[in-house]
Amino acid sequence: MPFIEESDLLDLHKDIDKAQIINERLLDQIKYKNKDLRKIKLQRNILLGFVGLFVIGTLAITSFTAGLSSKQSFDNQSNVLVSIDSLDVIKARIDNLRDQNEELSLVREFYLAKEFLNKEKIYSVQVKSFVENNVTLASEALTNTLFVKTNPFYAYSLGNFETLEEAQKFRKQLVQMGFQDAFVASYQDGQRVKIEDPY
């Protein structure tokens, strides 16, 4: 097994703590953005309702005044131009809201992908286990690490793979790097399901 200096381990702990804080902040931002997304969707729907009513009202007024004298027709053309300008402003606002909605959708997709990893069966390569949980090697912010309690041990695994073959290839690379005891395990709902065949 590779040897880690105590100063390197302390630096690693500091980095992990920082990563945990960053992860908590990102999750808070995701929750905040999801609330904003719901508000923006509601505002968009209300705005679309008003735009629809405005367009219908404009068409009704235009239809009503179309049969009047030529002087009134000229006035109607001016009103239609003003209405068209107003519609352009509303269309620009709708486009802006659509862009914001796309940005928030990306944040939501990231959050849903993280939830998906917890629900689906994944494969990971366990490199170390500890009797006590007094050493934190992984953070929730590091999406390619697992730190799972497997009674009476705490298992530390690297990589989140959809297939067993991918995990086995990664295990071979870790063995070549000096992690001779590394093995592949499957996980689901944050718990180890079984130890897989390493070959």
Side-chain angles (χ1 to χ4, degrees), residues 130-136 147 154:
F130 301 97
V131 175
E132 296 180 11
N133 187 14
N134 60 0
V135 178
T136 303
F147 197 64
Y154 293 89

Side-chain angles (χ1 to χ4, degrees), residues 63-86:
S63 298
F64 177 75
T65 57
L68 298 177
S69 68
S70 63
K71 182 179 179 186
Q72 289 175 340
S73 293
F74 180 74
D75 291 338
N76 283 339
Q77 290 174 356
S78 298
N79 288 339
V80 171
L81 290 177
V82 170
S83 297
I84 291 173
D85 289 341
S86 298

Side-chain angles (χ1 to χ4, degrees), residues 125-182:
V125 180
Q126 182 172 325
V127 293
K128 189 70 176 167
S129 62
F130 301 97
V131 175
E132 296 180 11
N133 187 14
N134 60 0
V135 178
T136 303
L137 290 178
S139 164
E140 287 294 321
L142 302 174
T143 58
N144 282 333
T145 60
L146 292 174
F147 197 64
V148 179
K149 180 161 177 56
T150 58
N151 286 330
F153 299 102
Y154 293 89
Y156 178 66
S157 297
L158 297 176
N160 294 325
F161 302 99
E162 291 181 3
T163 65
L164 179 60
E165 292 77 22
E166 291 173 318
Q168 289 169 338
K169 286 180 186 176
F170 184 62
R171 178 200 165 271
K172 287 179 185 177
Q173 292 173 350
L174 289 175
V175 168
Q176 291 172 355
M177 292 171 57
F179 292 93
Q180 299 298 325
D181 297 334

Side-chain angles (χ1 to χ4, degrees), residues 32-49:
Y32 179 75
K33 290 288 186 180
N34 281 338
K35 287 180 184 178
D36 284 349
L37 178 63
R38 280 186 232 121
K39 286 179 185 178
I40 288 173
K41 283 183 179 179
L42 179 63
Q43 289 174 352
R44 181 189 67 202
N45 291 339
I46 291 171
L47 182 62
L48 287 174

Side-chain angles (χ1 to χ4, degrees), residues 4 7-17 136-137 156:
I4 298 176
S7 62
D8 292 338
L9 185 60
L10 289 175
D11 289 341
L12 182 62
H13 284 290
K14 288 177 185 177
D15 291 343
I16 290 170
D17 290 340
T136 303
L137 290 178
Y156 178 66

